[in-house]
């Protein structure tokens, strides 16, 4: 028997929402998206292809022409590739949300008595898990091509945790992009732009001092550079305190701002 959608929405509006029910909703949506990823192995494969190509390109093709004083170039560039791996993994959030909007999946969830934030939180957490898988793969590949950690285990784990936090923060940026454009093809193209700007106009591949003077202020102070410099200090040693608190502040600020932006866009999309 088909239940009238208006009746479902009325039911959803009168069911009281408790923290336990919100957690249940969040867990259920996360599980749904994780199963979707597992059953579509090509999604995992594509998450590692682009960072793998960039890593091999800058290690073996362009790396010989780039010199960074005081450090082997492989140790300089690989932390930036780690960051790029989680940014690429998060880009799929924009595409997936746009697809769900177009297919009417979000309308279906709206008709259920569930927390609105659970749909977005479950989506972003599942995509974070895929990004972590890509990061683990790229770390292993980085070690194979000559990258080495030079600090304590705790510092290295702290650097990896900072990369994951940054990736999760930007997953919410991609969520806002997907909800704003609503079209899967447009979302895919729009999601590339912030990753492209942040990655290439940063210290990920070359020192900021080698860039044109007009670009240096932006490149030096944008979030990707601050996070990458902090990660390098955690992996290789060096001054840390100044960049680390800024990196954490950037991550938390982006997460909080775009969580509420995404939630507001989701409410408008389901109004």
């Amino acid at each position: 028997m088909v239940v009238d959608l208006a009746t479902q929405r009325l039911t959803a509006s009168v069911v009281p929402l408790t923290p336990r029910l919100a957690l249940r909703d969040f867990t259920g949506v996360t599980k749904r998206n994780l199963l979707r990823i597992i059953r579509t192995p090509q999604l995992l494969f594509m998450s590692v292809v682009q960072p793998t190509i960039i890593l091999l390109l800058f290690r073996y093709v362009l790396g010989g022409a780039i010199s960074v004083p005081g450090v082997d170039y492989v140790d300089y560039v690989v932390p930036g590739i780690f960051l790029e791996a989680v940014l690429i993994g998060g880009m799929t959030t924009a595409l997936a949300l746009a697809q769900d909007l177009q297919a009417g999946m979000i309308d279906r969830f709206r008709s259920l008595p569930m927390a609105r934030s659970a749909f977005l939180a479950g989506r972003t957490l599942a995509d974070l898990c895929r990004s972590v898988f890509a990061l683990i793969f790229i770390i292993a590949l980085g070690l194979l091509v000559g990258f080495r950690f030079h600090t304590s285990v705790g510092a290295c784990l702290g650097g990896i945790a900072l990369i994951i936090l940054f990736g999760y923060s930007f997953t919410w940026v991609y969520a806002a992009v997907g909800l704003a454009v609503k079209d899967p093809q447009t979302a895919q193209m729009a999601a590339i732009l912030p990753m492209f700007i942040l990655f290439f106009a940063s210290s990920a591949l070359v020192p900021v001092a080698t860039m044109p003077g007009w670009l240096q202020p932006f490149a030096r102070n944008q979030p990707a550079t601050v996070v990458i410099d902090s990660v390098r200090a955690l992996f290789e040693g060096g001054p840390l305190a100044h960049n680390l608190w800024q990196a954490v502040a950037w991550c938390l600020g982006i997460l909080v701002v775009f969580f509420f932006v995404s939630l507001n866009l989701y409410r408008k999309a389901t109004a």
Side-chain angles (χ1 to χ4, degrees):
M1 179 179 179
V2 179
V3 181
D4 183 75
L5 185 58
T7 302
Q8 290 186 357
R9 290 176 183 172
L10 180 59
T11 303
S13 65
V14 299
V15 174
L17 182 65
T18 66
R20 184 179 65 83
L21 292 177
L23 180 61
R24 180 207 62 185
D25 297 338
F26 167 70
T27 303
V29 174
T30 303
K31 182 179 178 181
R32 166 191 176 263
N33 289 307
L34 285 175
L35 288 174
R36 183 179 180 183
I37 292 172
I38 293 170
R39 292 168 180 170
T40 316
Q42 58 266 35
L43 292 176
L44 294 175
F45 176 74
M46 293 307 298
S47 297
V48 302
V49 168
Q50 186 170 335
T52 295
I53 292 173
I54 293 179
L55 174 56
L56 296 178
L57 175 67
F58 280 90
R59 176 66 176 100
Y60 293 114
V61 180
L62 302 177
I66 303 174
S67 177
V68 179
V71 62
D72 291 337
Y73 186 65
V74 65
D75 288 336
Y76 181 88
V77 75
V78 168
I81 306 298
F82 291 167
L83 198 73
E84 191 229 9
V86 297
L87 287 176
I88 290 174
M91 285 171 56
T92 57
T93 303
L95 178 60
L97 285 174
Q99 287 176 332
D100 284 342
L101 274 170
Q102 194 173 72
M105 182 61 68
I106 290 181
D107 284 333
R108 172 58 181 161
F109 279 113
R110 179 180 58 170
S111 69
L112 299 175
M114 62 180 293
R116 290 190 172 188
S117 60
F119 178 79
L120 296 176
R123 174 79 257 177
T124 56
L125 182 60
D127 288 334
L128 174 66
C129 292
R130 178 168 47 191
S131 296
V132 170
F133 168 82
L135 177 61
I136 292 170
F137 180 88
I138 296 301
I139 289 174
L141 182 61
L143 293 172
L144 285 175
V145 302
F147 171 75
R148 294 294 180 267
F149 297 101
H150 297 283
T151 54
S152 66
V153 173
C156 293
L157 291 176
I160 293 171
L162 182 57
I163 291 171
I164 293 172
L165 176 61
F166 185 77
Y168 184 64
S169 299
F170 262 84
T171 300
W172 286 97
V173 176
Y174 295 130
V177 169
L179 291 167
V181 301
K182 301 179 183 178
D183 174 69
Q185 292 181 338
T186 306
Q188 187 173 22
M189 292 186 290
I192 294 174
L193 185 61
M195 189 279 294
F196 187 87
I197 293 174
L198 290 174
F199 182 69
F200 287 98
S202 73
S203 63
L205 304 175
V206 296
V208 172
T210 65
M211 298 178 183
W214 58 267
L215 182 58
Q216 289 185 23
F218 170 78
R220 184 175 294 109
N221 296 290
Q222 59 117 319
T225 292
V226 175
V227 172
I228 290 169
D229 289 347
S230 298
V231 170
R232 284 199 186 103
L234 288 165
F235 287 170
E236 312 297 330
L240 176 63
H242 178 68
N243 280 331
L244 183 59
W245 76 262
Q246 290 188 62
V248 174
W250 267 114
C251 292
L252 296 179
I254 292 169
L255 193 157
V256 170
V257 169
F258 281 93
F259 170 81
F260 287 106
V261 169
S262 299
L263 192 58
N264 184 53
L265 289 170
Y266 178 74
R267 285 171 176 164
K268 289 181 179 179
T270 58

